[in-house]
Amino acid sequence: MNRAPGLKTYAVIYLLFLYGPILILPLFAFNDASIVAFPLAGFTTKWFAEMWADPNLWKALKNSLIIALSTATLSTVLGIFAARSSVRYKWPGKPVVMGFIMLPLVLPEMIVAMSLLIVLLGIGINLSIFTVIMGHVLMCTPFAVAILTSAFQSLDRSLEEAALDLGESAASTFRLIILPLVMPGILSSFLITFTISIDEFIVANFLGSGQPILSVYIFGQFRFPAKVPSMLALGTILVGVSVVLLAIAEYFRRRGIARTGGKDTGGFL
Amino acid sequence: MAQSKSSEARTGWLLISPPALVTLLLLAAPLATVLVYSVLTGSRGAVSLPFSAENYYNIFRSSDGNILDLIFSGEWGAIPAALTKAPYLLVAGRALFVALLVTLATVVLAYPIAYFVSFHVQPSKKALWLFLITIPFWTSYIIRVALWRTILGYDGIVDSSLMGLGLMDGQLNILSYGVTSIIITLAHAYAPFAVLPVFVSLEKVDRSLLEAGQDLGESKFRTFLRVTLPLSMPGVIAAVLIVFIPTVGDYVTPELIGGGKVPMISNFVEVELLKRRNFAMGSALAASAMIVVAVISLIFILMNRRFLGGRK
């Protein structure tokens, strides 16, 4: 089955194309030159120091963490409601309502952000971190629903029925049997929505009204050539954190599938 | 379980209501507002009655007069010249063109990878390959886009490497060719979105069909063209949709990569809404973009139906 040298070479080149920019990040973050170009000039950590010393970064980071933690919590909770309802119960109109909840996934982000902005300006709500959270919850909920639906689908319904037969109430069955079994899915959803929210730019930019938020801060800094190396340093750290979070999310997702005895179908999407 | 059908439906509805309400409030209501605003009369920072189609009419304006007027008065000859002076139509046309090019490039580049992982990777290693392909997607979009800027730009990594190796003596400065660099950046950004759907549909291809094709004397390549490719079309069309929709509405890449020189629809909506504060016109532009995207998506979905229908 493994006879395809041409395809394999292509696959390797494609992976290089995918990873190229990410590999360049640390390379130039430690490079001792203010111009990002070859040849490399020598090792330095001064870009990290420069980035670390900027007070605006810390303000942006604090705001971003508040936004991402709130978004991850809210969208995961909403995702639990939607996934439980769609997997466990039969009700009329399910395809329409579920399709509607998943809609933000396929709408251009800019349209979603702009229409929210028009309404907020129209009602007269001041733009703040809170409005950014609203936008992010809307965008992240479909991801949470998708991850949690597969977690709830791999639940064996007879476990739940057994608990009910043995005298547990519906609430305690949910708490004692279902919640622990879907916990890996919940953690995975939390981590992924957190990552999406931290990285998101359009909603943060337009609904944040100039509040320092990490992605907006990075976007602004990249406009000044002199700031590029220190942004590469920041990028190196962020990419590292993202990869670690996702590896943890993937670990929980797989453990969840293994725990409920399902088959791994791979991938987040 | 001793639950009646209606009580089950009630529990289901009760559970779905919080996420459904949130989506209703944060998505449906704003989209409806945009549609209503788009047919109102706009002035700076406000909208008012009466209803009018003027905003939509203004989308067709050009410095040689409104193109709709030219069409209705039968001055067909003047239309091509007027089109080049119509700001909105020009941008919309370019955005669609760029989005289609990006989609084509992304899906064509991604297909062999999906094929490779589905047909030539051991089943135990498939999940790892997919994970490897999706990781770059989960790293900050802004940072990836900005990185392409430093890679492709004047005196950037591509130029300095090529000149250092003596392959070139002048700056290539790919960044200055706005469209090329936008295509490279977006093909990179949406790669996993294209690989995954194609992979899923390739996984569903019955392997015995391929053996049958070859047993009956077809070459490997012809078996691919006549069996594998048609069977994977639903995945290809899904990939096309998933890449096309966000690229039409992309904002970051034209701003950072195109240097604002190749504005796309989103950048126009931004200018109209936030700089000119004309909510009615901005809404009409956003609504038109939604309608165009919806129509194109529908065409693709109908094509997909045809492929699915042909199989069963």
Side-chain angles (χ1 to χ4, degrees):
Chain A
M1 210 149 149
N2 249 323
R3 285 168 291 118
L7 266 180
K8 186 147 199 180
T9 320
Y10 179 76
V12 171
I13 294 172
Y14 192 79
L15 279 185
L16 277 179
F17 167 63
L18 283 186
Y19 280 86
I22 296 163
L23 295 178
I24 280 169
L25 261 182
L27 203 59
F28 286 95
F30 289 108
N31 184 34
D32 193 5
S34 54
I35 297 167
V36 181
F38 285 110
L40 296 174
F43 183 84
T44 179
T45 52
K46 73 175 174 192
W47 303 121
F48 285 88
E50 186 184 311
M51 168 210 92
W52 205 261
D54 186 353
N56 287 328
L57 166 71
W58 297 101
K59 269 186 228 154
L61 185 66
K62 188 180 143 227
N63 282 339
S64 271
L65 284 177
I66 295 173
I67 292 169
L69 286 173
S70 322
T71 303
T73 313
L74 288 171
S75 46
T76 301
V77 169
L78 290 173
I80 292 174
F81 275 104
R84 173 77 176 157
S85 171
S86 93
V87 173
R88 171 66 179 71
Y89 298 97
K90 281 200 191 88
W91 39 276
K94 195 195 279 182
V96 177
V97 176
M98 291 310 288
F100 173 61
I101 292 174
M102 301 304 271
L103 194 60
L105 214 52
V106 295
L107 279 176
E109 223 177 286
M110 189 68 182
I111 305 269
V112 175
M114 282 300 166
S115 48
L116 252 177
L117 182 66
I118 290 175
V119 170
L120 292 172
L121 291 176
I123 305 175
I125 294 178
N126 283 331
L127 299 178
S128 64
I129 293 176
F130 180 71
T131 49
V132 178
I133 295 174
M134 282 164 60
H136 280 186
V137 167
L138 178 70
M139 282 174 44
C140 289
T141 303
F143 285 93
V145 174
I147 294 162
L148 288 162
T149 301
S150 71
F152 275 101
Q153 262 165 356
S154 53
L155 266 186
D156 189 348
R157 187 145 161 204
S158 53
L159 290 174
E160 189 186 337
E161 284 166 11
L164 286 171
D165 285 347
L166 291 171
E168 292 286 353
S169 70
S172 62
T173 306
F174 188 79
R175 191 167 50 87
L176 294 171
I177 309 288
I178 299 168
L179 215 51
L181 283 174
V182 292
M183 199 37 115
I186 293 176
L187 285 173
S188 166
S189 152
F190 187 88
L191 290 172
I192 284 171
T193 47
F194 180 87
T195 313
I196 295 173
S197 171
I198 283 269
D199 285 346
E200 202 284 334
F201 170 76
I202 292 180
V203 168
N205 188 36
F206 291 113
L207 299 185
S209 95
Q211 295 270 355
I213 296 171
L214 208 50
S215 56
V216 181
Y217 167 79
I218 294 171
F219 181 82
Q221 297 284 300
F222 260 111
R223 294 192 163 178
F224 310 111
K227 296 280 186 188
V228 169
S230 61
M231 282 304 103
L232 295 183
L234 175 59
T236 308
I237 296 174
L238 285 180
V239 167
V241 172
S242 289
V243 170
V244 169
L245 286 184
L246 291 167
I248 297 173
E250 173 73 3
Y251 168 77
F252 279 121
R253 197 185 61 84
R254 288 198 185 170
R255 216 177 66 170
I257 288 168
R259 196 188 279 185
T260 45
K263 222 176 76 182
D264 190 358
T265 45
F268 288 112
L269 293 171
Chain B
M1 227 179 276
Q3 241 176 352
S4 75
K5 231 179 185 171
S6 69
S7 92
E8 180 168 333
R10 210 176 309 134
T11 321
W13 271 103
L14 200 67
L15 280 171
I16 201 69
S17 53
L21 273 179
V22 166
T23 317
L24 203 65
L25 273 178
L26 297 181
L27 183 70
L31 289 182
T33 312
V34 164
L35 287 178
V36 172
Y37 273 23
S38 72
V39 289
L40 287 173
T41 311
S43 57
R44 200 176 165 78
V47 286
S48 56
L49 289 166
F51 289 109
S52 81
E54 202 188 323
N55 301 311
Y56 288 99
Y57 174 76
N58 278 337
I59 290 176
F60 293 90
R61 76 161 187 247
S62 79
S63 49
D64 284 1
N66 193 298
I67 287 168
L68 284 180
D69 290 342
L70 295 178
I71 292 175
F72 289 127
S73 59
E75 294 171 54
W76 300 95
I79 292 176
L83 272 177
T84 62
K85 291 171 193 162
Y88 295 125
L89 289 186
L90 212 58
V91 165
R94 187 169 47 204
L96 286 178
F97 175 68
V98 170
L100 285 173
L101 276 181
V102 167
T103 310
L104 187 75
T106 313
V107 176
V108 167
L109 285 175
Y111 195 95
I113 292 299
Y115 185 84
F116 173 74
V117 177
S118 178
F119 281 79
H120 295 283
V121 170
Q122 286 162 8
S124 59
K125 287 190 183 150
K126 282 181 183 174
L128 177 71
W129 269 89
L130 291 181
F131 190 54
L132 277 178
I133 290 166
T134 35
I135 285 183
F137 164 72
W138 293 108
T139 60
S140 168
Y141 181 58
I142 289 285
I143 289 181
R144 274 181 295 153
V145 174
L147 274 171
W148 280 110
R149 182 160 120 141
T150 56
I151 291 171
L152 301 173
Y154 185 83
D155 227 354
I157 291 168
V158 169
D159 283 356
S160 64
S161 321
L162 288 177
M163 283 161 69
L165 292 169
L167 292 172
M168 268 186 358
D169 26 81
Q171 298 277 351
L172 192 59
N173 197 5
I174 301 172
L175 195 66
S176 63
Y177 311 119
V179 176
T180 316
S181 48
I182 288 179
I183 290 174
I184 295 176
T185 310
L186 291 177
H188 180 261
Y190 290 104
F193 285 113
V195 174
L196 289 178
V198 177
F199 170 78
V200 169
S201 69
L202 281 172
E203 282 289 280
K204 287 184 193 150
V205 173
D206 188 347
R207 302 303 196 259
S208 58
L209 288 176
L210 306 183
E211 285 168 22
Q214 283 175 29
D215 284 349
L216 293 170
E218 294 274 34
S219 71
K220 270 199 149 163
F221 185 62
R222 286 192 44 106
T223 317
F224 169 77
L225 280 188
R226 296 183 57 179
V227 182
T228 317
L229 190 60
L231 285 178
S232 64
M233 271 329 259
V236 171
I237 288 172
V240 164
L241 269 184
I242 293 177
V243 177
F244 176 76
I245 292 173
T247 32
V248 176
D250 195 46
Y251 169 84
V252 179
T253 309
E255 273 291 306
L256 270 181
I257 294 286
K261 276 179 289 181
V262 193
M264 307 249 279
I265 298 175
S266 296
N267 312 69
F268 253 52
V269 176
E270 182 208 1
V271 167
E272 207 61 56
L273 277 180
L274 298 181
K275 304 220 166 94
R276 296 198 187 135
R277 295 186 67 80
N278 186 340
F279 294 160
M281 191 65 207
S283 296
L285 285 174
S288 312
M290 270 193 286
I291 292 164
V292 170
V293 169
V295 167
I296 293 177
S297 308
L298 264 180
I299 293 172
F300 279 120
I301 289 167
L302 288 178
M303 278 166 67
N304 206 0
R305 281 268 163 79
R306 216 183 63 103
F307 274 110
L308 286 172
R311 193 162 50 165
K312 274 169 190 161

